């Protein structure tokens, strides 16, 4: 199992490096070609938008062999990326946007696929640890990849970054066959629920999944809601240069790496709901500390946010993996991703509007909403909703891989 854990961490390192570098460079490339900041920002939206289709894209992983589908998605992504070698001027800007959309679709499929495959490759007791290590690997790449991607772009242009980024999913596809998966005989077709509502029902059936995912959704949404407020506090309230935002981003990255390294042990001891509550509470505390008229407090707040957000996210992912029937893991994982990341699309513009009332009131409002959700969700009784059956015995074991999924 150590072999599988190492392979999944390596996969996270490679995919995190390639995707982060290309996501940054896509916007810079469009800006250089067109001079339009609006089009440059649109590239980021194109990457993000497909998460709203998570329940349907994730459903593919419940009806097709999971590992071959994830490998094929990585190879298709590499092929699509190489099409950017045709970009020569502003007339090909649409191609960068189209590839950004393809990148977003691949994110949803690959993320849901990895979430569904992990319980078949690792014992339930190791899932939280490996999820935490993968989170640390991905966050670590967010500290390294932007510098590498921007430096390579400045040196040899966008085509060099394209080739480097396209190599990453090819390497990931080469690692997947080395992962050793357990297999059980396939279940009867009738045992596999159909439809979008089945994914929602499975996600809501267990308190651990519905509470953990809800806490992660609130935390992540509030991180988007407070983005503009963070800028306002630094540049207006504290009177610091905009370059100080880079210091805060690095501090948050360090907190995320450290938080990912310990979150697995915490989940193993206290469970995903308790860790999700702790993560959301830490993020709320970071919002309040950021209100202090003291720049070291702002740095400390960034570290707190860096710890809290991965705790909430890893707790939710681990709960989904350990409390969902194996046959529905793809669909439920995709639905959970939409629930956790979809609200950001609304939270960011709302936060941009709210910041006109001041950065600190916006941060206090975000902290209050997080704490209200913690108090509300954490006190609910551990009883499934009426009329909904809990998952079968496979869920308690984290699920195993059926023959069609190998």
């Amino acid at each position: 199992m150590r072999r599988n854990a190492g392979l999944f961490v390596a996969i996270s390192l490679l995919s995190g490096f390639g995707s982060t570098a290309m996501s940054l460079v896509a916007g810079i490339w469009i800006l250089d070609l067109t001079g339009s900041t609006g089009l440059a920002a649109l590239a980021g939206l194109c990457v993000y938008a497909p998460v709203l289709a998570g329940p349907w894209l994730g459903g593919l992983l419940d009806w097709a062999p999971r590992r071959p589908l994830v490998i094929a998605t990585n190879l298709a992504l590499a092929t699509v990326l190489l099409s950017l070698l045709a970009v020569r001027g502003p007339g090909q800007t649409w191609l960068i946007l189209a590839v950004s959309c393809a990148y977003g679709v691949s994110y949803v499929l690959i993320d849901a696929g990895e979430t569904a495959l992990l319980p078949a490759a690792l014992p339930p007791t190791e899932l939280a640890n490996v999820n935490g290590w993968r989170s640390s690997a991905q966050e670590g790449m967010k500290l390294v990849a932007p510098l590498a991607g921007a430096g390579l772009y400045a040196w040899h242009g966008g085509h060099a970054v394209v080739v480097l980024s396209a190599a990453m999913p090819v390497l990931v596809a080469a690692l997947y066959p080395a992962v050793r998966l357990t297999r059980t005989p396939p279940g009867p077709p009738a045992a596999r629920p159909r439809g979008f509502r089945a994914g929602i029902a499975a996600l809501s059936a267990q308190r651990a999944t519905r509470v953990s995912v809800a806490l992660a959704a609130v935390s992540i949404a509030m991180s988007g809601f407070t983005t503009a407020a963070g800028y306002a506090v630094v540049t207006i309230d504290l009177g610091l240069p905009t370059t100080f935002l880079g210091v805060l981003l690095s501090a948050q990255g360090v907190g995320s790496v450290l938080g990912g390294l310990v979150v697995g042990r915490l989940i193993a001891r206290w469970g995903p709901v308790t860790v999700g509550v702790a993560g959301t509470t830490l993020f709320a505390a970071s919002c309040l500390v950021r209100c202090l008229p003291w720049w070291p407090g702002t740095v400390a707040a960034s570290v707190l946010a860096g710890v809290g957000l991965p705790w909430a996210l890893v707790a939710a992912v681990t709960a989904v993996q350990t409390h969902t029937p194996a046959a529905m893991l793809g669909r439920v994982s995709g639905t959970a991703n939409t629930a956790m990341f979809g609200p950001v699309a609304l939270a960011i513009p709302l936060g941009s509007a709210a910041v006109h009332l001041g950065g600190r009131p916006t941060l206090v409002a975000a902290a209050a909403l997080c704490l209200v959700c913690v108090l509300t969700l954490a006190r609910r009784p551990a009883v499934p909703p009426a009329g909904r059956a809990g998952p079968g015995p496979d869920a308690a074991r984290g699920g195993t891989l059926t023959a069609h999924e190998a």
Side-chain angles (χ1 to χ4, degrees):
M1 293 304 173
R2 290 181 180 273
R3 166 196 175 96
N4 284 348
L7 285 169
F8 275 110
V9 172
I11 286 169
S12 295
L13 284 169
L14 292 170
S15 59
F17 180 86
S19 61
T20 303
M22 193 62 228
S23 296
L24 172 68
V25 167
I28 297 174
W29 201 355
I30 290 175
L31 186 60
D32 284 346
L33 289 173
T34 66
S36 171
T37 55
L39 284 175
L42 186 58
L45 178 61
C46 288
V47 172
Y48 178 78
V51 75
L52 299 176
W56 295 274
L57 291 173
L60 295 175
L61 293 154
D62 293 336
W63 295 98
R66 287 173 181 163
R67 178 158 54 178
L69 181 58
V70 172
I71 292 173
T73 301
N74 275 283
L75 294 177
L77 175 60
T79 303
V80 169
L81 278 169
L82 290 176
S83 70
L84 292 179
L85 295 176
V87 174
R88 290 290 183 271
Q92 287 82 45
T93 300
W94 67 270
L95 184 57
I96 301 178
L97 295 175
V99 171
S100 295
C101 285
Y103 231 132
V105 171
S106 73
Y107 284 165
V108 176
L109 282 172
I110 292 170
D111 191 60
E114 289 181 358
T115 300
L117 285 171
L118 273 163
L122 299 166
T125 54
E126 293 297 322
L127 285 174
N129 277 327
V130 176
N131 285 330
W133 298 339
R134 291 171 63 231
S135 175
S136 291
Q138 291 165 353
E139 293 300 325
M141 287 300 98
K142 290 179 182 177
L143 297 175
V144 176
L147 293 175
L152 185 58
Y153 178 84
W155 184 30
H156 277 299
H159 293 161
V161 181
V162 166
V163 173
L164 176 63
S165 297
M168 296 300 107
V170 173
L171 293 174
V172 168
L175 289 179
Y176 266 110
V179 176
R180 295 170 181 168
L181 303 177
T182 58
R183 294 176 176 82
T184 58
R192 190 164 312 196
R194 296 174 178 268
F196 169 69
R197 292 183 181 179
I200 295 290
L203 184 62
S204 304
Q206 293 288 321
R207 178 176 182 265
T209 53
R210 66 176 181 269
V211 172
S212 298
V213 169
L215 289 170
V218 170
S219 301
I220 294 168
M222 288 303 98
S223 72
F225 181 74
T226 56
T227 298
Y231 295 161
V233 166
V234 169
T235 59
I236 299 174
D237 297 337
L238 297 178
L240 295 171
T242 55
T243 51
F244 188 72
L245 294 168
V247 175
L248 299 183
L249 183 61
S250 296
Q252 183 169 337
V254 170
S256 295
V257 172
L258 296 177
L261 292 175
V262 301
V263 66
R265 295 179 183 178
L266 297 177
I267 292 174
R269 181 169 183 177
W270 301 106
V273 171
T274 300
V275 174
V277 165
T280 304
T281 304
L282 278 178
F283 179 76
S286 77
C287 292
L288 297 176
V289 173
R290 201 180 293 268
C291 294
L292 297 175
W294 189 45
W295 72 261
T298 307
V299 176
S302 295
V303 175
L304 283 177
V307 174
L309 289 172
W311 280 13
L313 178 60
V314 173
V317 170
T318 304
V320 168
Q321 290 170 330
T322 54
H323 292 278
T324 302
M328 297 187 66
L329 260 173
R331 193 174 337 174
V332 175
S333 297
T335 303
N337 283 343
T338 298
M340 291 187 289
F341 294 103
V344 179
L346 180 61
I348 291 176
L350 284 177
S352 298
V355 79
H356 292 292
L357 301 176
R360 286 170 178 153
T362 302
L363 289 165
V364 171
L369 180 58
C370 287
L371 293 176
V372 167
C373 289
V374 163
L375 294 175
T376 302
L377 294 171
R379 289 183 177 181
R380 289 183 178 177
V383 178
R388 289 181 181 172
D394 278 348
R397 300 192 303 269
T400 52
L401 193 70
T402 59
H404 91 285
E405 298 160 334

